[in-house]
Amino acid sequence: MKRLAIKWDQVVVDPDGRVGGHDAGATLVRRLLRLGAHSGLAPALVGPGTRRCDGFDQVPLEFVEAESTVVVNLDVLDSMAVWRTLRQCAEHPAVMNFQWGPTARYDDRVPQLTEALSFALFPTFANSERTASEVREVIDRWTAPAVAAEAHVAWVNLGFRVDHVQARNEPEVPVVLYPAIYLSGRKQPKLFLDVVEHVHKQVPIRVEMRLHESHLVSELAMGVSAKDWVWVGPLTATRGSYWEALSSTTAFLATATQESYGLAYVEALAAGVIGILPDAGWARALVPDGYPFFWHSREEAESLLLRAVREPAACRSELDTLVGGQFTAWIADKHDDHSFEEVLTRQIADWFG
């Protein structure tokens, strides 16, 4: 194969020819485009028109050179439509799924079965072991045994660029981060706000919530922003400013019921932010055995967060002792994105030659 083409219908390319946005999807698209460039597979982005961009080409799906291109599809439900389009120009189109979030819980049988068939018919690469396990469960549940037996599923943790981490800059007033960019039900923002409200009554803290623009104008966001100790604003403009903000954050409280991986949490932990995590499988996959800051109830979350903002140095020392070195270095080693590039490149070559 000579080219890697990335497809995600929600991607936005700015006037300078760069992929815009700092949400998980946009970040992943940029990483996949860089992967194509580093691997010598001239990267392309499937889009509405032909355009030369900053380091990649944008091409409509109909113009993709199907004989020599692997299409990495982040829009899993339409992989069969992608295959049919490419099939007009190639006998064996190379299409693969990239499952970068939890498998959907559809109420309608049509998308439910479409997702399962997509996973079964096209090689599927997942962003974590947990997500790969969910993909396999969907395949086994909704497809025939003979079809499921032929399915190809692989995974690697997304990881992050370790060299982005900045030196700590401890704030005078402890800063607690809402570690998500959406206020959706799965993230349980009201539980987060309830806990930090109780903590604020006991210790002066500042809460920061950096939200996707679609959630900034929500009733909840506007109501919370009225509190003088809560800052609600847009996502940071650059990756540099993002890591600078993390370097002066004391703790975060995770309240999500489910995550496919948890990149935002991993990056915060690597920056020295003390993570208060729910005792859930997705969270345990991020940290070493014996991690001391798991909560099982609202009261326990409050107690742990109180300790983190009152005694951050002691909490970090406890984490260092747990791993027999620097906890931040342990996180960086486990979640370095070099593994992502190496494993995905190798897997694409294995699947498509």
Side-chain angles (χ1 to χ4, degrees), residues 24-39:
T27 300
L28 178 56
V29 168
R30 284 191 289 268
R31 290 178 65 174
L32 291 171
L33 289 170
R34 286 198 300 268
L35 175 67
H38 294 163
S39 303

Side-chain angles (χ1 to χ4, degrees), residues 6-339:
I6 316 305
K7 180 184 176 298
W8 184 47
D9 288 348
Q10 298 182 52
V11 72
V12 175
V13 179
D14 66 23
D16 295 323
R18 300 186 179 93
V19 173
H22 295 286
D23 55 275
T27 300
L28 178 56
V29 168
R30 284 191 289 268
R31 290 178 65 174
L32 291 171
L33 289 170
R34 286 198 300 268
L35 175 67
H38 294 163
S39 303
L41 301 172
L45 181 67
V46 175
T50 302
R51 179 183 176 190
R52 180 59 189 164
C53 300
D54 185 12
F56 62 93
D57 293 323
Q58 178 180 287
V59 295
L61 183 62
E62 295 78 8
F63 292 177
V64 168
E65 298 175 359
E67 290 284 1
S68 59
T69 302
V70 176
V71 175
V72 181
N73 187 22
L74 278 64
D75 302 299
V76 171
L77 289 186
D78 66 354
S79 285
M80 282 180 276
V82 172
W83 184 90
R84 284 195 298 270
T85 298
L86 299 179
R87 184 67 168 77
Q88 298 175 31
C89 302
E91 185 175 356
H92 301 291
V95 179
M96 62 174 279
N97 296 317
F98 196 111
Q99 183 63 21
W100 53 288
T103 56
R105 299 292 188 265
Y106 296 108
D107 295 326
D108 191 331
R109 281 177 62 83
V110 173
Q112 189 178 67
L113 296 178
T114 300
E115 180 187 60
L117 285 172
S118 180
F119 290 151
L121 293 175
F122 304 102
T124 299
F125 196 88
N127 69 341
S128 70
E129 183 176 15
R130 177 181 177 82
T131 303
S133 177
E134 290 181 352
V135 168
R136 176 55 69 178
E137 289 173 5
V138 169
I139 294 171
D140 291 343
R141 181 177 183 183
W142 296 109
T143 68
V147 175
E150 296 296 320
H152 298 285
V153 181
W155 67 275
V156 71
N157 287 333
L158 281 178
F160 67 98
R161 291 182 62 180
V162 173
D163 57 354
H164 280 166
V165 179
Q166 298 186 17
R168 292 290 307 167
N169 181 25
E170 298 299 338
E172 292 184 10
V173 176
V175 175
V176 177
L177 176 67
Y178 174 69
I181 65 173
Y182 298 111
L183 298 172
S184 51
R186 178 169 62 87
K187 301 294 186 179
Q188 298 196 97
K190 292 182 179 179
L191 173 58
F192 171 89
L193 293 168
D194 182 45
V195 172
V196 296
E197 184 82 47
H198 281 80
V199 169
H200 177 257
K201 291 177 180 178
Q202 302 172 70
V203 179
I205 61 171
R206 176 176 170 81
V207 170
E208 294 187 355
M209 303 177 74
R210 304 183 191 97
L211 304 178
H212 189 274
E213 58 183 13
S214 62
H215 285 235
L216 271 176
V217 295
S218 66
E219 183 178 348
L220 179 59
M222 290 188 288
V224 172
S225 63
K227 300 178 184 294
D228 60 8
W229 53 278
V230 179
W231 180 87
V232 180
L235 303 179
T236 51
T238 65
R239 295 299 288 176
S241 57
Y242 169 79
W243 284 99
E244 182 180 5
L246 284 180
S247 72
S248 57
T249 300
T250 308
F252 70 79
L253 170 62
T255 49
T257 57
Q258 184 184 25
E259 296 285 2
S260 61
Y261 174 44
L263 181 59
Y265 311 111
V266 167
E267 290 175 330
L269 290 169
V273 183
I274 302 161
I276 311 303
L277 296 162
D279 191 0
W282 67 262
R284 287 196 170 275
L286 304 179
V287 294
D289 292 340
Y291 187 78
F293 303 118
F294 284 122
W295 61 266
H296 305 84
S297 65
R298 192 206 64 76
E299 292 76 17
E300 193 169 5
E302 178 184 332
S303 175
L304 290 170
L305 184 58
L306 267 172
R307 186 182 169 214
V309 297
R310 281 173 168 164
E311 305 172 352
C315 290
R316 293 191 185 103
S317 178
E318 183 175 348
L319 290 173
D320 290 343
T321 300
L322 174 66
V323 298
Q326 282 192 321
F327 178 76
T328 53
W330 186 96
I331 291 290
D333 182 64
K334 179 176 174 61
H335 298 280
D336 190 324
D337 71 351
H338 287 315
S339 297

